[in-house]
Amino acid sequence: MIRGGEMNEDAWLKIKWVKNVPNYLQLQSPHPPPAVGARRQSATYIPQAWGRPRDDVYGAYDPSYMQTNGPNQHTQSPIVTGTSVLGMKFKEGVVIAADNLASYGSLARFTDVKRLRTFAESSVVGFGGDVSDMQYLDRHLTELAIDEAYASSTTTNSAQPTLNARNLHKYLQKLLYRRRSKFDPLWNSLLVAGLDESGAPFLAAADLLGTAFSSPSLATGFGSMLAQPIMRRLVPDEASVASVTREQAVECVRECMKVLFYRDARSLDSYSLAIVTKDGVELHQNEKLENQSWAFADRIKGYGTQTV
Amino acid sequence: MFRNNYDNDSVTLIFQVEYAAEAVKQGSVVVGIVSKTHAVLVAIKRNAEELSSYQKKLFAVDEHVGLAIAGLTSDARVLSNFMKQQCLSERLTFDRAMPLETLVSLISDKAQLNTQHYGKRPYGVGLLVAGVDDSGPHLFEFQPSGLTQEMLACAIGARSQMARTYLEKNLDKFPDCGRDELIRHGLRALKETLVQDRELTVENTSVGVVGPKEPGKRPLEAFKVHDGADVKDWINSIADDAEAGGDGMQVDE
């Protein structure tokens, strides 16, 4: 900007300089907005493209900027996955269930994968999400259980296990949170079932972000939408747990597993179910859904190739 | 005959560790006792001079653990801070009170390492670590060498042998003692160590105790150090009782 006075040679140079401003400093974008009425390219159904700069605004991505020797990215998303885990408290304990399927995308790849794991013969962990991360956690928990067994074997009173379900849940939550903070999350959602330090039923969830919460009934994944409302009919709040018998809880959970098999395309009719009480863990690994009724199926509309 | 400079009477063969053990004996006496329900620490505090304040002897580590020190206070501070951090981290990662045995083995390893590396020195302090965890009340003795032992009752520091004699004599009574009775036993053991014309006062006596709020129930009355006026009643309650009579002599009425 030139203020007042006559134009000397210096000022003239400045104007020339302004005129020579390179392209990238110009206010006008080299990529003009699309013409009115042009179809916006941003609505895409490819998840990889979500949240990325729009090609129609910024031009196509130049892959020559890409580092060829970057960090491993195959651990940054789940590959082989397990679906929902369900859990429900009752008067004397907790019941927890998960089906035996490990899916590879939409392919039902492994049909005999057990997703419930006992800990110290007093708690059960149910794993949803990535199966390889589940296997990592499984080995990790085995190690932890051995360390704890050594620590408690020398104490005079080893009647009660040193890590109860509450301790275990808190530990897993911190582990998950630490991994997500390393930007290398363990891609799971967990339920931990067992008894707390006072012998009361304990049920809590933790997920890949380290988020943790507790409720008289819990479900991960699709189960949180399909099964949770059914379970809440039986145990709407903490107070109602005391009036629920073991049989009622088990029946309700089995019924929910059936609903999930009806409506969750990544589920299986073979499942595992564990019951934790003060007497220990009862783990059934090869349960089958019984009395299925698909009568509702032909009334479902709006999916697939039908035109109605 | 040729004689070398090695001291063959030395138990550990490391003089520095022996000297550190001596430092513990220079500290004023502390006593710890456990019953089936409670853990108690009592201590005699010393003042550098008549007009100065008294050096603290008991410290709370966590809600469920406390410790008593005999020896170099500044070294105890290092160990105490370490233990506080470990207890907090256990509460953060596991949501539980750290088991005492685990806690003590951590400082044991830490102290032992100092006896093994050049340029390092042992901690010049002995500790009594007392508390209540999931498996009940515990008392541990810690020595600068890294040696730790679980004890039913223990005394360390100057003239602590007198207190130990009292504890050995009354050992059978401790398990079934209530909170206050256990404290009184501790104070009587302390009293044994006193030299002529010295006595327990509200100024020089500390009492630390942890145990359940109600008998047999879980909510814990957190480890608390009682000083000054708080210990008056306990001291008065053991004034002139026969049980504290030097060599166990019965005094005729």
Side-chain angles (χ1 to χ4, degrees):
Chain A
M1 195 70 189
I2 303 149
R3 282 201 197 120
E6 54 189 292
M7 186 177 281
N8 56 26
E9 200 174 317
D10 271 353
W12 172 240
L13 281 175
K14 273 184 192 158
I15 290 172
K16 263 170 85 176
W17 184 83
V18 170
K19 277 189 172 167
N20 288 336
V21 164
N23 217 19
Y24 60 79
L25 282 182
Q26 297 285 353
L27 282 174
Q28 198 182 11
S29 164
H31 306 288
V36 178
R39 188 178 155 75
R40 273 180 50 176
Q41 173 251 2
S42 66
T44 171
Y45 296 102
I46 306 166
Q48 282 80 358
W50 293 350
R52 314 211 57 167
R54 285 164 50 177
D55 286 358
D56 58 342
V57 177
Y58 298 98
Y61 183 70
D62 179 358
S64 67
Y65 289 113
M66 189 71 145
Q67 299 278 338
T68 48
N69 54 348
N72 279 339
Q73 301 234 327
H74 64 270
T75 60
Q76 299 284 333
S77 61
I79 309 292
V80 178
T81 56
T83 184
S84 326
V85 185
L86 308 181
M88 182 192 267
K89 289 192 205 174
F90 58 92
K91 192 170 175 237
E92 308 92 4
V94 191
V95 54
I96 181 170
D99 69 25
N100 294 340
L101 178 68
S103 308
Y104 181 69
S106 58
L107 173 70
R109 181 67 183 80
F110 306 102
T111 54
D112 193 23
V113 175
K114 308 302 190 308
R115 298 194 288 122
L116 298 185
R117 179 208 198 279
T118 56
F119 183 86
E121 291 163 24
S122 59
S123 309
V124 177
V125 186
F127 297 87
D130 192 84
V131 168
S132 62
D133 286 350
M134 171 185 89
Q135 290 168 336
Y136 166 81
L137 282 169
D138 180 51
R139 289 194 292 274
H140 188 82
L141 288 180
T142 305
E143 217 168 280
L144 180 68
I146 291 170
D147 289 350
E148 273 302 307
Y150 272 116
S152 64
S153 64
T154 46
T155 48
T156 47
N157 176 7
S158 56
Q160 97 178 96
T162 48
L163 279 187
N164 59 40
R166 182 196 299 288
N167 305 143
L168 180 63
H169 171 256
K170 179 67 91 177
Y171 178 76
L172 285 169
Q173 185 229 323
K174 298 288 169 181
L175 184 70
L176 290 162
Y177 182 67
R178 184 168 163 68
R179 285 296 293 264
R180 83 101 223 193
S181 301
K182 283 172 72 184
F183 280 80
D184 185 14
L186 292 167
W187 216 284
N188 298 106
S189 41
L190 314 175
L191 292 191
V192 180
L195 303 176
D196 68 10
E197 60 284 343
S198 65
F202 177 89
L203 177 65
D207 68 12
L208 75 165
L209 301 174
T211 315
F213 44 88
S214 185
S215 169
S217 67
L218 281 172
T220 72
F222 250 49
S224 66
M225 290 171 271
L226 297 174
Q228 189 65 274
I230 302 171
M231 293 194 287
R232 279 191 187 145
R233 270 188 242 152
L234 190 60
V235 277
D237 50 36
E238 204 61 56
S240 57
V241 171
S243 61
V244 176
T245 65
R246 172 187 158 137
E247 287 70 28
Q248 281 177 302
V250 170
E251 195 207 317
C252 178
V253 167
R254 285 189 198 277
E255 204 57 33
C256 288
M257 291 304 288
K258 206 191 295 180
V259 170
L260 282 171
F261 183 57
Y262 290 151
R263 317 243 20 184
D264 177 3
R266 310 282 171 268
S267 69
L268 196 66
D269 54 353
S270 146
Y271 64 102
S272 303
L273 184 134
I275 298 146
V276 196
T277 58
K278 67 175 181 354
D279 301 321
V281 178
E282 218 176 278
L283 178 59
H284 310 280
Q285 290 194 306
N286 285 301
E287 301 294 288
K288 276 278 178 191
L289 289 180
E290 284 161 3
N291 303 322
Q292 290 177 43
S293 166
W294 288 84
F296 67 91
D298 63 357
R299 293 196 297 276
I300 295 177
K301 296 235 158 63
Y303 298 95
T305 53
Q306 60 201 331
T307 49
V308 184
Chain B
M1 191 180 157
F2 173 75
R3 309 186 84 199
N4 63 26
N5 279 324
Y6 292 112
D7 179 352
N8 297 305
D9 295 341
S10 169
V11 184
T12 56
L13 304 179
I14 305 169
F15 290 131
Q16 228 184 8
V17 178
E18 304 277 303
Y19 298 146
E22 286 303 315
V24 178
K25 293 179 194 161
Q26 307 274 325
S28 67
V29 68
V30 290
V31 172
I33 317 178
V34 281
S35 69
K36 281 177 186 163
T37 54
H38 286 79
V40 161
L41 294 170
V42 292
I44 303 256
K45 291 180 285 186
R46 279 205 288 233
N47 53 349
E49 52 187 288
E50 194 63 22
L51 298 177
S52 74
S53 64
Y54 288 77
Q55 176 59 49
K56 276 187 77 178
K57 297 283 284 179
L58 304 183
F59 299 89
V61 172
D62 196 354
E63 271 187 33
H64 67 300
V65 200
L67 62 81
I69 65 172
L72 298 182
T73 312
S74 41
D75 281 6
R77 200 183 80 93
V78 174
L79 289 168
S80 162
N81 285 346
F82 174 75
M83 290 162 85
K84 283 179 184 180
Q85 285 200 347
Q86 293 300 314
C87 284
L88 281 176
S89 121
E90 185 82 1
R91 286 197 189 273
L92 191 77
T93 48
F94 289 105
D95 199 9
R96 70 169 174 180
M98 179 169 254
L100 257 77
E101 193 174 322
T102 315
L103 179 64
V104 167
S105 84
L106 286 172
I107 55 165
S108 170
D109 290 351
K110 200 171 155 68
Q112 197 279 336
L113 226 60
N114 284 348
T115 70
Q116 219 177 10
H117 286 276
Y118 67 88
K120 287 186 181 286
R121 62 168 181 82
Y123 292 109
V125 71
L127 306 178
L128 293 182
V129 183
V132 180
D133 62 21
D134 283 345
S135 60
H138 298 280
L139 171 68
F140 286 89
E141 179 193 6
F142 162 90
Q143 288 173 1
S145 61
L147 180 85
T148 52
Q149 306 181 91
E150 172 143 32
M151 307 294 278
L152 296 167
C154 188
I156 55 172
R159 294 169 55 81
S160 57
Q161 183 54 53
M162 302 298 286
R164 277 200 294 279
T165 307
Y166 173 89
L167 295 174
E168 281 163 24
K169 204 179 294 172
N170 294 281
L171 191 61
D172 298 338
K173 297 174 193 163
F174 300 152
D176 297 310
C177 277
R179 176 178 179 271
D180 294 300
E181 192 48 38
L182 204 61
I183 292 170
R184 279 195 283 275
H185 275 301
L187 292 177
R188 286 189 202 108
L190 272 191
K191 216 172 171 182
E192 295 288 309
T193 69
L194 294 173
V195 288
Q196 283 262 291
D197 66 67
R198 294 282 269 162
E199 54 185 12
L200 297 179
T201 65
V202 291
E203 284 81 30
N204 72 4
T205 310
S206 270
V207 173
V209 59
V210 60
K213 271 189 190 124
E214 296 165 53
K217 295 255 178 76
R218 196 73 281 249
L220 227 50
E221 184 190 9
F223 183 90
K224 192 179 174 219
V225 179
H226 302 268
D227 287 300
D230 290 348
V231 301
K232 193 173 145 200
D233 289 344
W234 287 316
I235 292 175
N236 288 340
S237 69
I238 61 150
D240 353 287
D241 59 2
E243 273 181 272
D247 300 308
M249 279 192 301
Q250 292 295 310
V251 182
D252 288 330
E253 299 283 317

